[in-house]
Amino acid sequence: MRDDQSVIALVTRAAGDDQQAWDELIERYAPLVWAICTRYRLSNHDIEDVGQSVWLLLVEQLGKLREPAALPGWLATTTKRECLRVVMAARKSQQLGSTVDDTLFADERAIDEQILIAERNAALRAGFAELPPHAQQLLAMLFRDPPCSYSEISATLGIPIGSIGPQRARCLERLRHSSALTAFGEIEFSISSPRGGHGA
Amino acid sequence: MLDSWTDDQLLAALGAAIRARQAVPDALVEVGKGAYAWHRIDAELAQLTYDSMTDLTAAVRSETASIRALTLTSPHLSMELEVSEDCLLGQVIPPRAGTLEAQTGAGASTETTVDEIGCFAVDPTPASPFRLRFRAADGTDVLTGWITL
């Protein structure tokens, strides 16, 4: 997100001395790092290694990022490079030769799309966090996979079945107009609408 | 873009976003938060400028594959490293004496002496990832980037 002021603010604060801002950056971008690692079919242990290297490199970069908004791209590239390093080290130690096949290089377009999905997901989570607790509860029951039935929702939240539909619409409208999603919507994207898939 | 989504699409996207966060192992997040301890260390940084592992021409020489050669360069000096499973050998160029500290990402630290021709040995090889900090009597203080084995 080229103009995401919240990311720029977090990077600036973390570059100073602000553990909380740093923690927020980690929370925001861990799913992106994780999603890229899973493309390389690494073990959980290897993913932790890659993650540690990526985060440590990010600490070093904090004061140097000229364009904090370029952070997601930097993270994706760095994670990919660290994954390749782990994969190549494993191959060498297994004497599998040094040929590097194409499967090692997830195609760039896929990585770009992953960055966009990760940014969209971060915006959705931030927007969700802005909602009042009762709206969060209702939406959480509705997006559960498989979703809860209206009678279950009615019994759990103590609201009449007939008002669930209208409340759902109001909560989603609130989400749509949350400051996180409004900021996100101002940037033009060319990714397609979701089909309920599990992205980054 | 989000404005044009239907309620169903928005709800599905929200569910996917929340699940994507839940899928991330806690350890990955915790190790990230802990990494901030390395923020603001006052030393000149040496960056990786050569790595035999990512050098495909070197990889062809399979007999040397068990030893990894690395070069790290800062504005004032460079470090040549040879890393095997057992130990790490290195030289500071231009040569000078001092102390070398190996710090692991997990927080362990070992110190070793750098002799007057700039050579040092770290035995056993530090756990990955690690970084090296070289300090000389003349005030030189150089810290390498993180090295992953």
Side-chain angles (χ1 to χ4, degrees), chain B residues 74-87:
Chain B
S74 84
H76 292 101
L77 58 78
S78 65
M79 270 188 225
E80 304 277 350
L81 305 179
E82 281 191 0
V83 190
S84 70
E85 268 180 43
D86 306 324
C87 97

Side-chain angles (χ1 to χ4, degrees), chain A residues 14-16 18-19 22-23 27 34 48 52 55-56 59-60 82 85 125 143 168 176 184 193-194 197-200, chain B residues 2 5 7-9 11 16-17 19-21 25 27-28 32-33 35-36 38-40 53 105 129 131 145-146 148:
Chain A
D18 189 336
Q19 173 88 44
W22 170 260
D23 289 357
E27 293 277 354
W34 167 253
E48 253 179 70
Q52 187 170 44
W55 301 135
L56 291 170
V59 176
E60 278 178 7
E82 292 300 315
R85 187 169 286 175
R125 286 191 297 267
F143 65 60
R168 174 190 193 264
R176 216 175 247 122
F184 182 82
S193 302
H198 295 211
Chain B
L2 290 163
W5 285 2
D7 278 5
D8 286 347
Q9 286 175 324
L11 190 63
R19 280 189 285 275
R21 172 65 187 84
L28 183 63
K33 292 180 178 176
Y36 200 58
W38 294 102
H39 186 42
R40 287 178 170 253
M53 185 152 76
R131 67 196 310 178
W146 290 95
T148 326

Side-chain angles (χ1 to χ4, degrees), chain B residues 81-134:
Chain B
L81 305 179
E82 281 191 0
V83 190
S84 70
E85 268 180 43
D86 306 324
C87 97
L88 179 158
L89 299 175
Q91 187 175 21
V92 176
I93 298 164
R96 70 187 83 179
T99 57
L100 184 102
E101 188 190 354
Q103 309 167 334
T104 71
S109 168
T110 50
E111 206 165 274
T112 172
T113 307
V114 178
D115 67 22
E116 60 281 1
I117 56 166
C119 292
F120 58 88
V122 183
D123 185 7
T125 301
S128 174
F130 63 87
R131 67 196 310 178
L132 303 174
R133 186 170 191 171
F134 170 68

Side-chain angles (χ1 to χ4, degrees), chain A residues 31-46:
Chain A
L32 174 62
V33 171
W34 167 253
I36 292 173
C37 288
T38 54
R39 295 182 72 90
Y40 290 91
R41 293 187 288 275
L42 302 183
S43 68
N44 271 14
H45 177 78
D46 283 343

Side-chain angles (χ1 to χ4, degrees), chain A residues 13-19 22-23 26-27 30-31 33-34 44 47-49 51-53 55-57 59-60 62 64 82 85 88-89 92 98 100 120-121 124-125 128 139 142-145 168-169 172-173 175-177 181 184-185 189 191-194 196-200, chain B residues 1-21 23-25 27-40 45 47-48 51-56 58-60 62 65 68 85 105-106 128-129 131 143-149:
Chain A
R13 281 167 53 203
D17 187 12
D18 189 336
Q19 173 88 44
W22 170 260
D23 289 357
I26 300 296
E27 293 277 354
V33 171
W34 167 253
N44 271 14
I47 289 178
E48 253 179 70
D49 275 359
Q52 187 170 44
S53 305
W55 301 135
L56 291 170
L57 290 166
V59 176
E60 278 178 7
L62 273 178
K64 297 180 214 149
E82 292 300 315
R85 187 169 286 175
M88 286 176 78
K92 272 197 173 176
S98 57
V100 179
R120 189 181 73 201
N121 284 348
L124 283 162
R125 286 191 297 267
F128 184 67
L139 291 181
L142 288 165
F143 65 60
R144 196 172 293 172
D145 192 16
R168 174 190 193 264
L172 288 171
E173 202 49 28
L175 177 65
R176 216 175 247 122
H177 293 111
L181 288 199
F184 182 82
F189 277 107
I191 45 174
S192 54
S193 302
H198 295 211
Chain B
M1 175 192 67
L2 290 163
D3 281 346
S4 64
W5 285 2
T6 64
D7 278 5
D8 286 347
Q9 286 175 324
L10 183 58
L11 190 63
L14 176 64
I18 302 286
R19 280 189 285 275
R21 172 65 187 84
V24 180
L28 183 63
V29 176
E30 291 315 310
V31 91
K33 292 180 178 176
Y36 200 58
W38 294 102
H39 186 42
R40 287 178 170 253
L45 281 177
Q47 299 294 342
L48 191 64
D51 183 347
S52 62
M53 185 152 76
T54 51
D55 179 354
L56 294 177
V60 175
S62 60
R68 186 156 155 212
E85 268 180 43
S128 174
R131 67 196 310 178
L143 180 67
T144 71
W146 290 95
I147 300 163
T148 326
L149 298 183

